[in-house]
Amino acid sequence: DAILAIDVGGTKMLAALVRGTSVLDTVRLPTPADGDPAHWFAVLFAAIETWQGRYDAVGVAVTGIVDDGHWSALNRKTLNIPDGFPLVATIARFTDAPVFAANDAQAAAWGEYAFGAGGREDMVFLTISTGIGGGIVTGGRLLGGLGGHFGQLRDLDHPGETLEDRVSGRWIAAQAATYAPDATAREVFAAAHAGEGWAKAVVEASARQAANLCRNVQLALDPRRIVIGGSIGLAEGYLSAMERALDSVPPRLKPSLHTAALAENAGVIGIADLAQRRPA
Ligand code: ADP
Ligand code: BMX
């Protein structure tokens, strides 16, 4: 009666035993930077060997696009996976339970819509994490395919780059390189909270870009709420920096930002519910 939910992002893999909105057990591993995803899942399933028999369906939420059970990267810098990787068939080698796969941010959007800060109203979810991901729920339906892939937006002023190349965890870390070589975004936030001016400026610049994206999303989709998740979206001070960047936006155009209530469990809770709803 529990579901095995797996959330694979560009930085971490999270496996969880989920029942409704309860996370009964978790295992977390770093996401390998390259190699064969089949090996990544072999290691993960070995780590959750003791969970066998405790779940009767599997939901897999992954960074990248999932089409008909096959997994591809849109931005290889976020995670470098082989094109058209047979994700569902690979997971099916490790379990007899039915397997359902979807994009990680779309799964998290569903989780926040159904059980979190989305309040079952038309909403957009935005994760600021290794990359930038998004999900859209309108009229009670989650958009699939490319729906919500705001991180892949491009503009003519930055040819060859995507929006996420200028906002995400990887960008924040890259901006820090001149001050703190090899720093992760997490360390940049720690430096910002310790009062380092350069770190505050990097965090502010990311938040301003994310806020600008929310302003554009509001004009495109006019959601009731935009729910913000991902370790960077959830980091102390980030949402308030986004709010500050939206101060001068006229009220009717201003997005209503909300912190993801399910926090880092939004993806596993969302994919577990989606897996459960699958037609048998
Ligand atoms: P994923 O992208 O794998 O879904 P996360 O949502 O944890 O994983 O996002 C990873 C990014 O968030 C990395 O750039 C990492 O450095 C950064 N990060 C992780 N924890 C924190 C934190 N507590 N504060 C700020 N940034 C964080
Ligand atoms: C990228 C894209 C999205 C994903 C988003 C957040 C890849 C590999 N991923 O825009 O599918 O939702 O990153 O990914 O092209 P995360 O790793 O930060 O959760």
Side-chain angles (χ1 to χ4, degrees):
D1 55 349
I3 308 275
L4 168 58
I6 300 170
D7 184 348
V8 181
T11 296
K12 68 159 189 337
M13 296 171 73
L14 174 64
L17 266 183
V18 177
R19 184 181 296 131
T21 57
S22 302
V23 174
L24 309 175
D25 205 346
T26 59
V27 162
R28 173 199 301 265
L29 298 169
T31 305
D34 51 26
D36 178 1
H39 178 66
W40 309 347
F41 291 114
V43 171
L44 182 67
F45 272 88
I48 59 172
E49 183 90 39
T50 58
W51 295 4
Q52 276 192 3
R54 294 177 62 189
Y55 55 87
D56 46 28
V58 181
V60 191
V62 293
T63 182
I65 185 160
V66 180
D67 281 318
D68 186 28
H70 288 74
W71 184 21
S72 302
L74 294 175
N75 185 347
R76 291 186 176 287
K77 288 177 280 185
T78 300
L79 189 59
N80 183 16
I81 36 187
D83 257 359
F85 180 80
L87 177 63
V88 169
T90 299
I91 301 283
R93 283 173 18 206
F94 299 101
T95 174
D96 299 331
V99 180
F100 175 72
N103 167 263
D104 60 348
Q106 290 170 357
W110 182 256
E112 286 296 324
Y113 168 80
F115 308 108
R120 293 183 188 236
E121 293 191 312
D122 285 3
M123 60 156 274
V124 165
F125 176 81
L126 189 62
T127 170
I128 297 107
S129 34
T130 308
I132 286 199
I136 300 163
V137 183
T138 53
R141 284 179 46 76
L142 172 68
L143 264 60
L146 287 172
H149 272 89
F150 306 114
Q152 301 314 304
L153 291 170
R154 298 166 183 269
D155 63 53
L156 297 179
D157 297 341
H158 303 88
E161 244 187 29
T162 61
L163 173 62
E164 90 182 350
D165 293 332
R166 298 196 301 281
V167 187
S168 67
R170 288 194 183 285
W171 178 79
I172 291 173
Q175 292 303 105
T178 46
Y179 305 94
D182 301 328
T184 64
R186 181 200 285 260
E187 286 151 2
V188 173
F189 274 83
H193 292 318
E196 296 271 357
W198 65 267
K200 287 181 181 174
V202 170
V203 170
E204 290 280 338
S206 170
R208 268 199 308 277
Q209 287 270 27
N212 187 59
L213 168 61
C214 290
R215 193 180 190 288
N216 291 335
V217 164
Q218 199 63 41
L219 291 165
L221 299 163
D222 201 14
R224 300 283 298 161
R225 308 176 183 202
I226 300 184
V227 177
I228 305 294
S231 286
I232 287 167
L234 292 163
E236 190 197 335
Y238 195 83
L239 191 68
S240 44
M242 287 179 72
E243 295 282 13
R244 281 197 300 277
L246 294 166
D247 261 354
S248 59
V249 174
R252 177 63 187 90
L253 276 58
K254 187 177 291 195
S256 171
L257 304 185
H258 300 256
T259 298
L262 305 177
E264 68 167 15
N265 290 331
V268 287
I269 290 173
I271 196 69
D273 189 64
L274 290 168
Q276 210 146 31
R277 290 166 179 266
R278 291 281 294 143

